Amino acid sequence: MQTALSVLVDSMLITFVFALAALGLAIIFGLMGVINMGHGAMLTLGAYFTWFATTKGVPFVAAVLLAAAGVGLIGLLLEHFIIRHFYDRPFETLLLTWGFFLISTELIKIAFGTDLRTVTNPLPGAAHFGSFVLPAYQSVVALISLALIVGLGVMLYRTGLGIKIRALVQNAEVASLLGLNVARAYKLVFVAGSAAAGLAGALISPMLSVDPYIGNIFLVRSFFVVIVGGIGQVLGGTLVGSFLIGGSETFFALFSGQVVAQTIVFMLAILVLRFRPAGVLRAQ
Amino acid sequence: MMLLELKEIHAGYGPVPVLRGVSLQLGEGEILGVLGRNGMGKTTLIRCIAGTLPLTQGSIHFAGQEITRLAPHERAQLGLTTVVQGRGVFPRLSVWENLEMGRIAAGGGKRSRLDEVIGYFPRLGERLRQPAGTLSGGEQQMLAIGRALMTHPKLILLDEPSDGIMPILVHQIAEILLQINRREGVAIVIVEQNVPMVFALTDRCVILEKGRVVAEGTREQVSQSAVMREYLAI
């Protein structure tokens, strides 16, 4: 019983970490249709911002906020100078964002080398319930992840800005004919997605060693989360996709090695897409 | 002062010219019908005025201001709104959200005209929570016109509003457009192949043929023109 509960809680914590990591992609790819291969690099940049700021004495919370703002600014520059010229050309945006990943990874290597860096866990404690352990920091990150997803859902479905964004996604030309500055709205969404990725990288950094490829761990998984959950289903799709990818990986890892568990999960994801190609939650 | 003035406009798609020197004028509160067969440049004319297709020559003035180089959203903010062919409702937004989008798209500082819109189209009031994509074609057209009205327009451009709609609803929509024009003073440019609908709405029409205005005048003048008899078989 204790083990089952422990696995369930571990699965939930991993689910929320995956959801956090995938949120930026759910915005940029799920809402805007930009296949952002630079998502992993944005997570990595968020982690490096946090590592660098904390080594200079900046408190962890401020470092996380700086990381989100910094990656948001990088997203703004990327969108303004490159991506906005290619919104209706998905293959080109895929290549360009892949180029962004390569360039930013090499720049990180030049600036900081390839050594593993460590961000000190700001909440190292844990709550113990018999043999069952609830790590404090992972629990807080899970709550932040849930709050961000709920907040994004409220913004999208309960505010005027949300109506504008959903209208833009459905028919940009008509939105502009009604008076919406489409270029500005796309920019806002792209920056928000970039900042979310930076925030995720920052919050994940104390859980893993920071290296130039930390974001890659989550890149493929994030795509699976968004696609399996349902493209455009930012709220429920991200949570369901994260649970199916992250939570089930934790479950299968109980009975096999991590690599076998990942393989099973990706095979199951492919199977899900075979029968529900638009994702679990996407209306057919 | 004219509300809308097109001076010798030319436009096309790539190397293919579609409009070849169209000049038109529209006064405040006036309704202009643009008739013509398929492929003669009617939708292209609407796209040029709305700003989704750039001109290759000529100029467009709206409400005393040159708008030739303005983006579509800037033209909409001046009071020039468009109901596109096929309605262009946002299918996964509710009827209310579609209407609200009309009010807030340009900034949201405008007074809501929801009650007036529902007054013109009571069916929309019964379906406010319904996704717009589940409405019938006629209801979607009502929604598209209602949403245009929510933007507080000076001019509404209508591209084939009768397309795919039951004849009884076409007549009803034409009557409501006339009411909107008379009560609100909103000018209308209506591009149509449905001649009876245009004649029910407007006194002044033009006929487009191969990207040029080949006939212009009152309903009677246009209906008796050789071009009208030849091409529209009246």
Side-chain angles (χ1 to χ4, degrees), chain A residues 156-157 159-161 163-164 166-182 282, chain B residues 47 50 52 72-73 76-77 80-82 84 88 90-93 96-97 100-101 104-106 147 151:
Chain A
L156 279 176
Y157 293 97
T159 69
L161 179 62
I163 291 175
K164 287 183 195 175
R166 287 187 294 137
L168 173 77
V169 169
Q170 289 176 47
N171 194 331
E173 182 171 299
V174 169
S176 76
L177 290 172
L178 292 169
L180 183 70
N181 186 335
V182 167
R282 182 74 179 262
Chain B
R47 294 191 64 197
T52 53
H73 73 272
Q77 287 167 10
L80 193 165
T81 195
T82 309
V84 297
F90 303 112
R92 295 189 296 282
L93 261 56
W96 179 82
E97 286 173 330
E100 183 67 358
M101 178 65 187
I104 64 175
R147 187 179 60 189
T151 67

Side-chain angles (χ1 to χ4, degrees), chain B:
Chain B
M1 186 183 70
M2 285 293 139
L3 179 66
L4 179 72
E5 203 167 357
L6 278 58
K7 291 180 185 168
E8 280 292 312
I9 69 166
H10 292 249
Y13 302 94
V16 183
V18 177
L19 296 183
R20 305 156 191 254
V22 173
S23 295
L24 287 174
Q25 290 189 329
L26 182 79
E28 287 183 13
E30 194 183 349
I31 303 179
L32 174 70
V34 179
L35 294 162
R37 294 179 303 176
N38 271 338
M40 293 298 136
K42 301 188 304 295
T43 294
T44 302
L45 177 68
I46 290 283
R47 294 191 64 197
C48 287
I49 301 171
T52 53
L53 185 70
L55 305 187
T56 50
Q57 273 183 59
S59 65
I60 302 176
H61 287 74
F62 177 72
Q65 180 180 344
E66 179 163 6
I67 61 165
T68 313
R69 293 183 195 285
L70 294 188
H73 73 272
E74 292 171 315
R75 299 181 195 208
Q77 287 167 10
L78 292 174
L80 193 165
T81 195
T82 309
V83 176
V84 297
Q85 189 171 13
R87 280 80 73 177
V89 298
F90 303 112
R92 295 189 296 282
L93 261 56
S94 69
V95 169
W96 179 82
E97 286 173 330
N98 267 273
L99 293 171
E100 183 67 358
M101 178 65 187
R103 185 181 74 83
I104 64 175
K110 294 168 184 164
R111 173 182 66 85
S112 176
R113 297 178 105 169
L114 188 62
D115 291 342
E116 292 155 66
V117 169
I118 290 172
Y120 288 121
F121 303 108
R123 280 183 192 214
L124 298 181
E126 298 159 12
R127 290 162 172 72
L128 285 177
R129 299 284 158 209
Q130 196 172 321
T134 63
L135 299 177
S136 69
E139 289 165 347
Q140 287 191 13
Q141 190 60 266
M142 293 175 189
L143 177 57
I145 294 167
R147 187 179 60 189
L149 206 53
M150 294 287 284
T151 67
H152 292 249
K154 294 185 180 110
L155 167 63
I156 300 178
L157 305 173
L158 287 160
D159 191 359
E160 304 270 7
S162 73
D163 187 23
I165 293 175
M166 287 162 52
I168 189 161
L169 283 178
V170 171
H171 178 69
Q172 202 179 337
I173 288 170
E175 277 188 357
I176 294 168
L177 283 170
L178 264 182
Q179 284 179 33
I180 290 171
N181 169 258
R182 284 173 187 156
R183 286 189 201 160
E184 320 280 341
V186 178
I188 295 171
V189 173
I190 179 168
V191 154
E192 259 297 347
Q193 292 190 68
N194 184 327
V195 179
M197 183 184 194
V198 173
F199 282 1
L201 269 173
T202 178
D203 287 330
R204 195 162 76 85
C205 304
V206 298
I207 298 177
L208 274 186
E209 181 68 22
K210 293 179 182 169
R212 293 189 176 91
V213 174
V214 291
E216 182 172 7
T218 63
R219 184 168 52 195
E220 289 71 25
Q221 287 168 332
V222 166
S223 62
Q224 286 164 15
S225 69
V227 177
M228 188 69 155
R229 282 199 294 272
E230 186 180 346
Y231 293 119
L232 301 176
I234 285 187

Side-chain angles (χ1 to χ4, degrees), chain A residues 15 18-19 22 25-26 29-30 157 220-246 268-270 272-273 276-284:
Chain A
T15 294
F18 273 44
L25 194 70
F29 173 48
Y157 293 97
V220 176
R221 288 179 173 90
S222 296
F223 269 104
F224 266 108
V225 164
V226 174
I227 293 168
V228 169
I231 296 171
Q233 300 291 323
V234 177
L235 191 61
T238 306
L239 276 176
V240 169
S242 300
F243 182 71
L244 290 176
I245 301 296
L268 282 176
I270 290 166
V272 167
L273 293 177
R276 289 190 73 89
V280 175
L281 291 192
R282 182 74 179 262
Q284 298 294 305

